[in-house]
Amino acid sequence: MTLGLMQSQGLLISMLLEFAERHHSDVELVSRRVEGDVHRYTWAEVGRRARQLARALDGSGLPPGGRVATLAWNGYRHVELYYGVSCSGRILHAVNPRLHPDQIAWIVNHAEDEVMCFETTFLPIVQAVHSKCPAVKHWIALCDADRLPRDSGIPNLQSYEAWVGAQSADYVWPVFDENTASSMCYTSGTTGNPKAALYSHRSTVLHAYAAALPDAMNLSARDAVLPVVPMFHVNAWGIPYSAALVGCKLVLPGPALDGKSVYELIEAEGVTFAAGVPTVWQMLLNHMKPGGLKFGKLSRTVIGGSACPPAMITTFQDDYGVDVLHAWGMTEMSPLGTLCALKNKHLRLSKDAQMKIRLKQGRAVFGVDMKIVGDDGKELPWDGKAFGDLLVKGPWVVKEYFKDEGGNPLVNDEHGVGWFPTGDVATIDPDGYMQITDRSKDVIKSGGEWISSIEIENIAMAHPSIAMAACIGMKHPKWDERPIVVVVKKLGAEVTREEVLKFYEGRTAKWQIPDDVIFVEAIPLGATGKMLKTRLREQLKDYELPIMESAANKWA
Amino acid sequence: MTLGLMQSQGLLISMLLEFAERHHSDVELVSRRVEGDVHRYTWAEVGRRARQLARALDGSGLPPGGRVATLAWNGYRHVELYYGVSCSGRILHAVNPRLHPDQIAWIVNHAEDEVMCFETTFLPIVQAVHSKCPAVKHWIALCDADRLPRDSGIPNLQSYEAWVGAQSADYVWPVFDENTASSMCYTSGTTGNPKAALYSHRSTVLHAYAAALPDAMNLSARDAVLPVVPMFHVNAWGIPYSAALVGCKLVLPGPALDGKSVYELIEAEGVTFAAGVPTVWQMLLNHMKPGGLKFGKLSRTVIGGSACPPAMITTFQDDYGVDVLHAWGMTEMSPLGTLCALKNKHLRLSKDAQMKIRLKQGRAVFGVDMKIVGDDGKELPWDGKAFGDLLVKGPWVVKEYFKDEGGNPLVNDEHGVGWFPTGDVATIDPDGYMQITDRSKDVIKSGGEWISSIEIENIAMAHPSIAMAACIGMKHPKWDERPIVVVVKKLGAEVTREEVLKFYEGRTAKWQIPDDVIFVEAIPLGATGKMLKTRLREQLKDYELPIMESAANKWA
């Protein structure tokens, strides 16, 4: 007996491209280029050029599974690389140009990239790294032949247009297992070497479905979508794939991320939806306010990368009529994990009550499951109060890092199912809304109880004389760890250790009040503006806790 | 070198249920029951009861892959069966109770169903078929123990509540290959034996993603969804699965499909989205008009099953503010193929121009690809004019029928990829909007050109004296086939053969005008209200064409 079933078509990224080509052939992709001008063409042309690129890769002898690196802005050639490289069976490796050249060289060598495609903006980086990356056989500048940098010092440097332009577009995408690797991203890695998440065709297509859902980015063929989030940041949160899946217009900002440029692009191209980190939106709002500018069609933004200030959500909503959705994810999660769309029952709540929910990281999109566990690995309740290590699983969550770097990262549950530990500490409320309270490595474990370093910092930041605060845990003979708070005073402001400690009273449980306050000139920040607590701990390695004064002693 | 990749979690229907249970535990399912009352509970309870059902199936010795038939309305117990049967590795077979008992017995035997769960409404059907279905070991009435029909004549008849209610809910869903069969539906089959499409866990979950997309049913956790389309019609277009995927409220109408009942349920439960066939919506509108009733929250409907009259779309939109989406699919397609959502560029068109698009069957949702081919199998252009046989492919389109019934249905393209011939004839416009012009078996092939029987019928139906019209092709010695039109006059109206033929002039190309008009008292209709042209052809087997009068002769 044959059991007749459904067609066995694999989920390949070429399905996305062919769908956009056939069903949305005249829909535009508009890109601001490094040259300053605006380039426009259609999904039909993406398809044609991606096939030309595949032929160029064939001609360069790059085998299936071979890695192609990019150092590129959000633009049409980068979109062609996304599709041409992956659909032809190679692996796209978008490199973050904001890393130090030494890190870039390390990553390129670790990934064993054989081709490097870079914007001319990043020529200095390439000049710094090319001699350290002997495995890269082809250096390709993303420009026309006549704009190829002269005397670059890069051997055999070619222009992308010369490399690709001469190829025939007569090419049929190969069919292979949907679990084949399609692209990779390295995590910034505050400790140890960078590690890469390796995405598959299957995980990418499933993520593209989920990201387009109404409770996620809500993408349709009526949208014009602006990913301000870079394509070298976890594939611009998957937007280049979801855009093909729904056949929407794609607006790509290139290197111009200042408020004026982004505003002009939004208005000129009728952008309805935009995605990015809070910093970019702050620049945009700063540009708009003085002139009383308004949005024509922008109705939704997704904000991720770091927590969005409540004032920004309110401003977008009340002053500009733009709905702001909080999102949370990780490189290891392709990246989408949760989005903060309201549920039906929340529609009846007051605006204030809705805001309380909207400030959370949100609830899981279907495909991702999550849980919080205590020190003993046991699942904690979803009551919005208990907090523990956040673990996730699903078909677009990493199983292991590229080359097994760092060993098996998963934690098995009692059924033998592996969960990925996010490194975040979170609460989950009964409706499934997750809120990050800390990073696992930053949470302070005092006498068997956990103290959120973020909560301690937020209280200090509310003091009128404090500009910045970092809470870290210090070893304590009795309580295991105790919090101290490191603060930077506002310019010209004065405040004493005792005043700061007093300020905590009534604002948190007494045993959670820091045991000490340390005044510093500056707190070390990383490239993305996050506080580097590891460096802070190094700076304080000779510091000693005032053991006898511990708040925990007094209130235990 | 280990290539680290993504987690290998299969797409199982149990993922959908567990997601709804964990992330939307208190969201309601509201069901009107056969008993007349309204039952309400939550996704958490669906999960609990589905696990109890799985234990009951274990206890009944039903092996993995075993078939469980249902004869049931849209209601909570049917939802439990959808999940409990499939998630535990068995196959759900929802039987259409509107079929003749002999057909039902044939189908139950062909499917080798071992369990039959039926609403007490359908007891007469079960009494008629049970002795013909010896392989069915368990007959389960979907009711409480104290409502079990007495003296039913069905051996060992049990109530669902007695069978399931006593079980423990302590059960872990098994993990198996995502290509395992999950459910099956038989096609009505106008020729030959009924054939079953066998859906897999993978195809069902992928379809659930696609059906929830903004350009499909646009489902979110803010919706309350009413599937009026029966759960025995291609799984209610997949809504029970998509509802779990987005965590929305599900409102199930039971047997009460009259206008008053449906209206009251929509209003009482705050329904935002409803799906069904045109007949049901006509009854609803007929109920609402006299009293000037309005909708509170209903904002969208999807209409499928047969083409929606333009007047109905206009009424919904202009009088009630409800957006109507045309949809097209098939049992063999799980069922969604196309939906008629507008694109960005259409938003600027006039209402009339938009309506022209909205009357088409729509464009493919991602996952489905389609093409039209001529007699030679070659693909025809997407120009909105050329029409040919419509073929589809994708991960939720059948590869073959259950038990290989009817042999390989697919047609291979030049790359060896199999496409499923839908049996429809259609045009596709440059934007990918498909419009069905005929069924393949009804299209009239005259002198190498195709004539749409539907177009010829629509013209006749526009005549003030004609109530119904059927166009069929008759063998012609010179032109191969020529159209004739069979008409039913309106009560008390008069019209002659010559007047009808005259009416066609200027309304279609002259060579497409029928060669004859035949007046009849009634045109045979099938169970779903569709004209049975096969029977009409049998009735006219002795008919002879007026060969010399052919319009084709005059205008060739």
Side-chain angles (χ1 to χ4, degrees):
Chain A
M1 180 176 92
T2 312
L3 269 182
L5 267 176
M6 298 286 115
Q7 298 182 2
S8 53
Q9 186 171 336
L11 303 176
L12 299 182
I13 293 173
S14 54
M15 257 178 93
L16 291 167
L17 182 59
E18 288 187 328
F19 183 79
E21 266 188 283
R22 278 174 73 81
H23 301 264
H24 302 276
S25 59
D26 68 351
V27 174
E28 282 184 318
L29 289 88
V30 178
S31 312
R32 197 190 293 270
R33 305 204 297 176
V34 169
E35 294 87 337
D37 59 347
V38 167
H39 172 274
R40 51 182 72 236
Y41 71 170
T42 65
W43 279 111
E45 284 161 279
V46 179
R48 185 176 56 74
R49 300 243 308 170
R51 288 195 299 273
Q52 287 181 292
L53 171 60
R55 277 193 170 260
L57 292 167
D58 285 359
S60 303
L62 191 70
R67 266 79 79 192
V68 177
T70 61
L71 279 166
W73 302 109
N74 291 9
Y76 65 106
R77 291 184 185 118
H78 210 174
V79 173
E80 294 165 12
L81 282 158
Y82 264 48
Y83 284 102
V85 170
S86 299
C87 297
S88 70
R90 283 91 177 191
I91 300 173
L92 183 91
H93 172 205
V95 179
N96 185 344
R98 292 180 187 145
L99 296 175
H100 188 277
D102 287 349
Q103 290 176 296
I104 292 178
W106 189 93
I107 283 174
V108 165
N109 287 328
H110 188 265
E112 300 171 44
D113 297 324
E114 295 184 53
V115 181
M116 166 60 84
C117 301
F118 63 97
E119 308 265 14
T120 50
T121 325
F122 302 125
L123 180 61
I125 298 177
V126 172
Q127 287 171 323
V129 305
H130 84 275
S131 64
K132 297 172 191 162
C133 302
V136 176
K137 294 176 195 134
H138 305 276
W139 298 91
I140 313 285
L142 294 168
C143 62
D144 290 321
D146 59 3
R147 284 180 174 265
L148 194 68
R150 286 166 203 278
D151 308 321
S152 65
I154 321 279
N156 304 317
L157 181 63
Q158 284 184 80
S159 79
Y160 178 83
E161 294 302 330
W163 186 49
V164 160
Q167 303 291 337
S168 156
D170 184 16
Y171 182 93
V172 177
W173 297 116
V175 174
F176 40 72
D177 188 303
E178 66 183 18
N179 292 304
T180 304
S182 59
S183 64
M184 65 197 299
C185 286
Y186 279 78
T187 58
S188 41
T190 47
T191 56
N193 284 326
K195 294 191 280 281
L198 191 65
Y199 311 113
S200 69
H201 285 258
R202 173 185 168 98
S203 71
T204 302
V205 173
L206 290 176
H207 185 273
Y209 266 125
L213 288 172
D215 273 343
M217 299 198 198
N218 191 19
L219 301 180
S220 81
R222 287 171 302 292
D223 280 310
V225 173
L226 174 75
V228 182
V229 52
M231 291 169 70
F232 53 77
H233 265 181
V234 213
N235 300 328
W237 302 348
I239 290 173
Y241 304 115
S242 290
L245 184 142
V246 304
C248 69
K249 177 174 175 177
L250 203 46
V251 182
L252 302 161
L257 303 181
D258 61 286
K260 180 169 184 288
S261 300
V262 169
Y263 177 76
E264 286 172 0
L265 203 57
I266 287 173
E267 291 308 292
E269 300 303 331
V271 167
T272 58
F273 171 81
V277 294
T279 324
V280 165
W281 302 132
Q282 196 54 60
M283 291 194 294
L284 177 64
L285 292 176
N286 289 349
H287 169 73
M288 292 175 70
K289 197 164 183 192
L293 299 172
K294 295 283 170 195
F295 292 119
K297 294 188 173 166
L298 188 73
S299 65
R300 292 145 26 232
T301 61
V302 162
I303 295 191
S306 54
C308 182
M312 190 183 285
I313 297 183
T314 309
T315 303
F316 263 119
Q317 205 113 37
D318 296 350
D319 300 354
Y320 299 101
V322 174
D323 209 22
V324 173
L325 216 63
H326 231 175
W328 170 82
M330 299 180 76
T331 302
E332 289 88 341
M333 297 176 72
S334 302
L336 281 188
T338 62
L339 293 111
C340 203
L342 297 180
K343 292 186 172 186
N344 190 303
K345 66 177 175 185
H346 299 140
L347 302 180
R348 295 183 295 274
L349 296 180
S350 71
K351 227 171 151 180
D352 282 355
Q354 287 185 349
M355 181 59 86
K356 269 188 193 150
I357 299 165
R358 298 166 72 96
L359 289 174
K360 299 187 176 195
Q361 270 68 33
R363 52 192 171 77
V365 63
F366 175 74
V368 170
D369 198 6
M370 59 185 181
K371 65 176 179 181
I372 45 174
V373 299
D375 274 339
D376 56 1
K378 288 224 176 90
E379 184 164 3
L380 296 170
W382 289 21
D383 57 11
K385 289 170 199 146
F387 56 100
D389 287 314
L390 178 66
L391 275 64
V392 294
K393 70 175 173 69
W396 58 80
V397 177
V398 286
K399 184 172 69 184
E400 60 207 352
Y401 290 99
F402 179 61
K403 293 183 175 177
D404 208 13
E405 202 68 56
N408 177 14
L410 304 191
V411 178
N412 279 7
D413 65 17
E414 68 273 25
H415 306 301
V417 177
W419 293 71
F420 177 78
T422 62
D424 283 317
V425 173
T427 62
I428 305 178
D429 73 18
D431 294 316
Y433 287 80
M434 184 272 288
Q435 183 161 30
I436 291 179
T437 56
D438 217 336
R439 291 289 297 166
S440 301
K441 62 183 190 310
D442 294 336
V443 76
I444 291 122
K445 297 182 182 180
S446 172
E449 299 289 338
W450 289 15
I451 299 171
S452 160
S453 67
I454 293 174
E455 198 186 319
I456 300 302
E457 286 157 9
N458 284 346
I459 294 171
M461 303 271 277
H463 190 285
S465 299
I466 294 179
M468 197 179 287
C471 172
I472 54 177
M474 288 288 163
K475 286 263 169 276
H476 187 284
K478 178 171 177 188
W479 302 109
D480 198 13
E481 280 187 344
R482 286 298 301 160
I484 63 164
V485 61
V486 180
V487 302
V488 179
K489 283 185 257 190
K490 280 192 186 156
L491 205 66
E494 275 309 325
V495 61
T496 65
R497 174 182 184 277
E498 286 62 36
E499 282 164 355
V500 173
L501 293 178
K502 182 96 186 147
F503 190 70
Y504 275 95
E505 288 177 19
R507 289 186 166 86
T508 185
K510 292 189 176 169
W511 63 270
Q512 297 193 343
I513 295 177
D515 279 4
D516 204 0
V517 182
I518 297 177
F519 295 95
V520 295
E521 289 299 309
I523 290 170
L525 298 180
T528 57
K530 288 182 188 170
M531 296 190 291
L532 292 179
K533 294 196 184 175
T534 39
R535 199 164 304 165
L536 201 56
R537 286 191 193 93
E538 284 166 26
Q539 290 175 4
L540 293 170
K541 66 181 190 305
D542 297 328
Y543 168 84
E544 279 182 34
L545 265 181
I547 303 287
M548 299 312 293
E549 288 178 45
S550 176
N553 286 336
K554 291 172 208 153
W555 303 101
Chain B
M1 180 175 90
T2 311
L3 268 181
L5 265 175
M6 298 287 116
Q7 296 183 2
S8 54
Q9 185 171 336
L11 302 175
L12 299 182
I13 293 173
S14 53
M15 255 178 94
L16 291 168
L17 181 59
E18 289 186 329
F19 182 79
E21 265 187 284
R22 279 173 73 80
H23 301 264
H24 302 275
S25 60
D26 68 349
V27 175
E28 283 186 317
L29 289 88
V30 178
S31 311
R32 198 189 292 272
R33 306 202 299 174
V34 168
E35 294 87 336
D37 59 347
V38 167
H39 172 273
R40 54 180 71 236
Y41 71 171
T42 64
W43 279 110
E45 284 162 280
V46 178
R48 187 177 54 79
R49 301 243 308 168
R51 288 195 297 272
Q52 287 181 293
L53 171 60
R55 278 193 169 259
L57 292 167
D58 285 358
S60 302
L62 191 70
R67 266 79 79 193
V68 176
T70 62
L71 279 166
W73 302 109
N74 292 9
Y76 65 104
R77 291 185 185 117
H78 210 173
V79 173
E80 293 165 13
L81 283 157
Y82 264 48
Y83 284 102
V85 170
S86 300
C87 296
S88 70
R90 284 88 177 191
I91 301 174
L92 183 91
H93 173 206
V95 179
N96 185 345
R98 292 180 188 145
L99 296 175
H100 188 276
D102 287 350
Q103 288 176 297
I104 291 178
W106 189 94
I107 283 174
V108 166
N109 288 327
H110 187 265
E112 301 171 43
D113 296 326
E114 294 183 53
V115 181
M116 165 61 84
C117 300
F118 63 97
E119 308 264 15
T120 51
T121 326
F122 302 125
L123 180 62
I125 298 177
V126 172
Q127 286 170 324
V129 305
H130 83 273
S131 64
K132 297 172 190 160
C133 303
V136 176
K137 292 176 197 135
H138 305 277
W139 298 90
I140 313 285
L142 294 167
C143 62
D144 289 322
D146 60 1
R147 283 181 175 265
L148 194 68
R150 286 165 203 280
D151 308 323
S152 66
I154 321 282
N156 304 319
L157 181 63
Q158 283 185 82
S159 78
Y160 178 82
E161 294 302 331
W163 186 49
V164 161
Q167 303 290 338
S168 156
D170 183 16
Y171 182 93
V172 177
W173 297 118
V175 173
F176 38 73
D177 188 301
E178 67 183 18
N179 291 304
T180 304
S182 60
S183 65
M184 63 196 302
C185 285
Y186 280 78
T187 58
S188 41
T190 48
T191 57
N193 285 327
K195 293 192 280 282
L198 191 64
Y199 312 112
S200 69
H201 284 258
R202 173 184 167 97
S203 72
T204 302
V205 173
L206 290 176
H207 185 273
Y209 266 125
L213 288 172
D215 273 344
M217 299 197 198
N218 191 19
L219 301 181
S220 81
R222 286 170 303 291
D223 281 310
V225 174
L226 175 75
V228 182
V229 52
M231 290 170 70
F232 54 77
H233 264 183
V234 213
N235 300 330
W237 303 347
I239 290 173
Y241 303 114
S242 290
L245 184 142
V246 304
C248 69
K249 177 175 176 177
L250 203 46
V251 182
L252 302 161
L257 304 181
D258 60 287
K260 181 169 182 290
S261 301
V262 169
Y263 177 75
E264 287 172 0
L265 203 58
I266 287 173
E267 291 308 294
E269 300 302 332
V271 168
T272 58
F273 171 80
V277 296
T279 324
V280 166
W281 302 131
Q282 196 54 60
M283 293 193 294
L284 177 64
L285 293 176
N286 290 348
H287 168 73
M288 292 175 70
K289 195 164 184 194
L293 299 172
K294 295 282 171 195
F295 291 117
K297 293 190 173 168
L298 188 74
S299 65
R300 292 144 27 230
T301 62
V302 161
I303 295 191
S306 54
C308 182
M312 190 183 286
I313 297 182
T314 309
T315 303
F316 262 117
Q317 205 113 37
D318 296 350
D319 300 354
Y320 299 100
V322 174
D323 208 23
V324 174
L325 215 63
H326 231 175
W328 170 84
M330 300 180 75
T331 301
E332 289 87 342
M333 296 175 73
S334 303
L336 282 187
T338 62
L339 292 112
C340 203
L342 298 180
K343 292 186 173 186
N344 190 304
K345 66 178 176 183
H346 299 140
L347 302 179
R348 295 183 294 270
L349 296 179
S350 71
K351 225 169 152 182
D352 282 357
Q354 287 185 348
M355 181 59 86
K356 270 190 191 149
I357 299 165
R358 298 167 70 94
L359 289 174
K360 299 188 176 194
Q361 270 66 34
R363 52 193 170 76
V365 62
F366 174 75
V368 170
D369 199 6
M370 59 184 181
K371 64 176 179 180
I372 45 174
V373 299
D375 275 340
D376 56 1
K378 288 226 176 89
E379 184 165 1
L380 296 170
W382 290 22
D383 58 9
K385 291 172 197 144
F387 57 101
D389 288 314
L390 178 66
L391 276 63
V392 292
K393 71 175 170 70
W396 56 79
V397 176
V398 287
K399 184 173 70 184
E400 60 208 352
Y401 290 100
F402 180 60
K403 291 181 175 177
D404 209 13
E405 202 69 56
N408 177 12
L410 304 190
V411 178
N412 280 8
D413 67 16
E414 69 271 28
H415 306 299
V417 177
W419 292 71
F420 178 78
T422 62
D424 283 317
V425 173
T427 61
I428 305 177
D429 73 17
D431 293 317
Y433 287 81
M434 185 272 288
Q435 183 161 34
I436 292 179
T437 57
D438 218 337
R439 291 288 297 164
S440 300
K441 61 184 193 307
D442 294 336
V443 75
I444 292 123
K445 298 182 181 181
S446 173
E449 298 289 340
W450 289 14
I451 299 171
S452 160
S453 67
I454 292 172
E455 195 185 322
I456 301 301
E457 286 157 9
N458 284 347
I459 295 171
M461 302 271 277
H463 190 284
S465 299
I466 294 179
M468 196 180 285
C471 172
I472 54 177
M474 288 288 165
K475 285 264 168 275
H476 188 284
K478 179 172 176 189
W479 301 107
D480 196 14
E481 280 187 342
R482 286 297 302 160
I484 64 164
V485 62
V486 181
V487 302
V488 180
K489 283 184 258 192
K490 280 191 185 159
L491 205 66
E494 275 309 325
V495 62
T496 65
R497 173 181 184 277
E498 285 64 34
E499 284 165 354
V500 173
L501 294 179
K502 182 95 186 149
F503 189 71
Y504 275 95
E505 288 178 17
R507 290 187 166 85
T508 186
K510 291 189 176 170
W511 63 271
Q512 298 193 341
I513 295 177
D515 279 6
D516 204 359
V517 181
I518 297 176
F519 294 96
V520 295
E521 289 299 310
I523 289 169
L525 299 180
T528 56
K530 288 182 187 172
M531 296 191 291
L532 293 179
K533 292 196 184 176
T534 40
R535 198 165 303 164
L536 201 57
R537 286 192 192 92
E538 284 166 25
Q539 289 174 5
L540 292 170
K541 67 183 192 304
D542 298 328
Y543 167 85
E544 280 182 32
L545 265 180
I547 303 285
M548 300 311 295
E549 289 178 44
S550 176
N553 286 337
K554 291 172 207 153
W555 303 104

